[in-house]
Amino acid sequence: MGWKKMFGRKKLPPFPRDFWLEEMEQARDDAAALIVPPEYQGRLKYLFFPGCQLGASDPRYPQAVYQLLLRAEPATAMWLSCCGAPSYWVGEIEQYRSVQAEQHQQWESLGRPQVVLACMSCKKIIDYVLPDIQPLTVYEVLADSGLQLPLYPQLPELALADPCMSRDEPQVRQAVCTLLERMQVPYQILHQDIHTLPCCGFGGNIEGPNLAAAQAAAQRRISSEERPILAYCVNCRDVFAGAGKQSLHIIDLLTGLNGLERPTPHLSLRRDNRRLAKALALGGEKEEFLGISLEISEETARMMDESLLSADHIRRLIARAEQSGDYFIDEQQIHIARLPLCGVTIWAEYRPLGGRQYQLISVYFHRMEVEKTDEAAGK
Amino acid sequence: MERKLVCARCGKTLENKETYFAYFGHQLHTDLPCCPQCGQVYVDKELAEGKMRNTEAELEDK
């Protein structure tokens, strides 16, 4: 039975599904940006589309890759947005086609430049629905460029993990290998048969409904591998890093941004990362969602990751509570408030720090709907 | 020591009252702290992540 039918029949609670759709909408809305060099307006050669996860993983990635592309070809624009894959994965086909139609329109309005992608899921989706776009990957463009790249002959041997979305895309793997050879990176391909590449566990956003299945997929992919992993899909890199593996993205080698030990970024803080990626691309300051600044401990962020709660949910909860006065307060002046959110009720305990700053102390949720008591005055 | 909570809107200390829950077409009830004036109910972390989560899982599996 598909997702849509199961929700319709109330066989599944909706929360995990809506989390990923919210991620997509955030990437297409307040984290979206189009940067076009004014001198190349109307005569662009490339349109770089990093996808929704590159800046969510490391806010510096999109701008760093864009700078590389600009060195290779100055007539290059960058568009921060999302290809619509999350809506496809949850079966929202109409929404997905609408996203794709908007993208096609944007591409047309920019004069049909060559689209350049960093994410193989974006490529699969665009190839399937918008075949006239015929996108390339940033790895192909950089491999064909004469750019001088940094050298890494001293690195330990890396295991190159192709993403599952590279199945039947040998030209992309070849471009990645060309870049690695040009950078003198010691490496071996982890899974040779490009037609049967396994998934890291990210695909389909199964982490929400079945975290154990996602973690098992990651373990199957890397458990017997002793070498550090080199990925060219940011989701794979983050999944492997989250499974405790030393992991690099090829962008780290191309730009020198990160080493082998970068931990997986918190799922709950990815919307903040996207906003920072946008600010870095536009050369401005990051804006806080609803103007609320939050202090979140490492432990709380980890718990929020597992519960598919974003820092933005907490900002909405606090904004609603502080505006309406609907919260409880304890002897320590800690505020406790709730937010109904697509089938669940989120609770947060937080301490006001002055102005619009708050320290998040605890977060939890339940799916049951709590009704008011019969005895409540005036009810 | 039991945590003393006050409703910020009404200034009243929460009191235990019989409270009804609904989930997947089922209705359950128990005593929970709530504001005696506006009726806002407080669910603590232990209840949400313990009994409520177990009951939700049981009802989802039915």
Side-chain angles (χ1 to χ4, degrees):
Chain A
M1 190 185 290
W3 272 100
K4 216 167 181 177
K5 282 184 180 171
M6 293 180 81
F7 288 121
R9 294 178 193 179
K10 290 194 177 285
K11 293 284 184 191
L12 279 180
F15 190 51
R17 167 179 174 267
D18 277 40
F19 177 86
W20 298 108
L21 292 178
E22 283 180 7
E23 288 281 298
M24 180 185 84
E25 287 308 321
Q26 192 251 350
R28 285 169 34 76
D29 184 12
D30 79 329
L34 176 66
I35 296 102
V36 181
E39 62 272 36
Y40 294 105
Q41 193 98 34
R43 51 191 188 98
L44 289 169
K45 180 173 181 190
Y46 291 141
L47 174 61
F48 173 44
F49 189 87
C52 63
Q53 294 301 331
L54 202 66
S57 175
D58 183 333
R60 301 168 301 170
Y61 274 159
Q63 181 65 4
V65 175
Y66 184 41
Q67 290 302 317
L68 273 181
L69 285 168
L70 284 171
R71 277 169 52 201
E73 173 51 63
T76 300
M78 176 165 72
W79 184 17
L80 298 174
S81 187
C82 173
C83 72
S87 56
Y88 178 74
W89 285 341
V90 297
E92 291 286 355
I93 300 302
E94 283 173 22
Q95 188 177 13
Y96 156 68
R97 289 196 181 281
S98 153
V99 171
Q100 292 283 303
E102 281 177 36
Q103 283 175 334
H104 196 269
Q105 196 175 16
Q106 179 77 286
W107 176 65
E108 295 265 10
S109 72
L110 291 170
R112 300 169 71 100
Q114 172 64 59
V115 172
V116 179
L117 306 172
C119 168
M120 296 306 290
S121 293
C122 293
K123 184 167 190 313
K124 198 66 97 183
I125 292 276
I126 292 171
D127 278 343
Y128 179 56
V129 184
L130 305 172
D132 57 331
I133 287 184
Q134 298 189 336
L136 291 173
T137 62
V138 68
Y139 318 111
E140 292 164 281
V141 171
L142 292 178
D144 281 346
S145 78
L147 278 186
Q148 192 171 0
L149 301 175
L151 303 178
Y152 297 94
Q154 76 288 3
L155 271 180
E157 185 170 283
L158 305 176
L160 175 61
D162 300 90
C164 58
M165 289 293 169
S166 280
R167 279 179 205 160
D168 305 315
E169 302 267 12
Q171 76 287 358
V172 181
R173 173 192 272 180
Q174 183 54 54
V176 168
C177 292
T178 299
L179 289 170
L180 294 176
E181 280 147 28
R182 277 174 53 191
M183 291 190 284
Q184 298 179 16
V185 176
Y187 76 97
Q188 291 290 325
I189 292 172
L190 184 59
H191 187 97
Q192 281 290 345
D193 183 1
I194 198 132
H195 305 297
T196 59
L197 288 169
C199 177
C200 68
F202 183 89
N205 293 142
I206 60 171
E207 180 179 346
N210 198 335
L211 179 61
Q215 290 172 337
Q219 285 303 326
R220 273 197 302 277
R221 193 84 165 91
I222 57 165
S223 60
S224 59
E225 182 52 56
E226 290 183 356
R227 294 167 294 188
I229 300 289
L230 175 66
Y232 56 96
C233 166
V234 79
N235 301 322
C236 293
R237 195 226 72 95
D238 290 349
V239 164
F240 298 145
K245 197 79 187 157
Q246 287 186 316
S247 305
L248 279 175
H249 193 287
I250 191 171
I251 292 172
D252 293 319
L253 297 174
L254 292 165
T255 61
L257 280 179
N258 298 297
L260 287 163
E261 306 295 342
R262 183 167 81 97
T264 193
H266 287 292
L267 194 59
S268 49
L269 302 179
R270 283 176 176 248
R271 297 180 199 183
D272 290 281
N273 285 351
R274 283 192 200 98
R275 278 185 211 104
L276 182 52
K278 174 181 176 179
L280 291 172
L282 295 174
E285 292 282 313
K286 188 185 100 171
E287 290 177 15
E288 299 284 10
F289 181 58
L290 300 175
I292 289 178
S293 175
L294 270 183
E295 278 183 18
I296 303 177
S297 70
E298 187 66 22
E299 185 189 347
T300 304
R302 198 163 41 243
M303 192 280 293
M304 289 166 66
D305 294 346
E306 290 172 5
S307 303
L308 292 181
L309 293 172
S310 162
D312 283 7
H313 292 135
I314 306 305
R315 291 188 178 98
R316 279 168 59 190
L317 179 152
I318 292 174
R320 176 181 183 264
E322 298 296 320
Q323 194 174 1
S324 66
D326 278 345
Y327 60 88
F328 304 121
I329 188 162
D330 76 358
E331 303 96 322
Q332 312 290 320
Q333 301 303 303
I334 291 172
H335 294 196
I336 304 155
R338 64 187 170 82
L339 177 74
L341 181 82
C342 45
V344 300
T345 302
I346 299 170
W347 289 84
E349 300 191 4
Y350 57 93
R351 182 178 283 118
L353 299 176
R356 301 280 281 173
Q357 289 193 13
Y358 300 89
Q359 179 191 28
L360 183 61
I361 295 167
S362 170
V363 185
Y364 53 97
F365 70 92
H366 52 78
R367 299 186 194 286
M368 283 188 186
E369 289 174 39
V370 180
E371 298 169 348
K372 288 183 182 178
T373 61
D374 292 339
E375 297 169 39
K379 304 289 162 186
Chain B
M1 194 175 76
E2 194 169 317
R3 192 179 192 186
K4 186 184 162 197
L5 293 178
V6 172
C7 174
R9 182 205 286 269
C10 306
K12 302 284 185 187
T13 302
L14 304 198
E15 296 172 4
N16 274 350
K17 300 266 188 214
E18 187 170 42
T19 305
Y20 289 83
F21 304 89
Y23 193 58
F24 270 54
H26 297 263
Q27 200 178 47
L28 305 96
H29 61 94
T30 190
D31 282 359
L32 283 185
C34 68
C35 174
Q37 187 160 313
C38 69
Q40 291 294 329
V41 177
Y42 168 60
V43 175
D44 68 26
K45 186 177 172 78
E46 188 183 348
L47 178 68
E49 295 184 345
K51 275 187 186 171
M52 284 175 87
R53 184 144 313 162
N54 294 338
T55 308
E56 287 162 359
E58 282 173 21
L59 294 175
E60 285 163 13
D61 288 342
K62 276 190 178 177

